[in-house]
Amino acid sequence: MIREDRFLISRKQFAIDLSTVTGSQHPRGDLYAFSGTASAVWYRRQSGVTRACLGSLMLFSHYLPEPLDLDNPYAILSADLDGRYGGDCHGRWDGERYWGAQEPHVQALHLTVLEPMLANYPAMPDGHDGWWTFQPTR
């Protein structure tokens, strides 16, 4: 992934909770395979409507040249990770409608993050690091 200082919604960036970056790795011939996850928030726009999203990211690579320092979230996130699946959205808020969990207490927890996030667009919530993208540098 690549960390960028400037937010651009077109770059499909994520703000990541570094305390949630986890994973495991194993040798794969002369290379190493890594598989992990992280909790993240992000913005997306559809039909002119901006949405605040929260969920998880699958972090993986099958072809790393050397093992990662699993105790360093920056080392993991800075690796050449495959992002073809993007984020797995658990909750989304567009200012009028919520989509996500069916349990009222989980909805309420999601909205405590999503409502202020959308109101302060494009700021990232406290406790998150960003902006991270899987897209190559332009």
Side-chain angles (χ1 to χ4, degrees), residues 20 27 41 44 46 48-49 57 64 72 74 91-93 101 120:
T20 66
V41 295
R44 293 296 182 265
Q46 184 178 12
V49 177
L57 294 177
L64 294 172
N72 182 345
Y74 287 104
R92 179 176 63 222
W93 174 248
N120 296 309

Side-chain angles (χ1 to χ4, degrees), residues 116-135:
M117 190 176 147
L118 188 62
N120 296 309
Y121 173 82
M124 74 181 83
D126 290 339
H128 289 76
D129 186 78
W131 293 100
W132 292 88
T133 184
F134 291 102
Q135 295 185 5

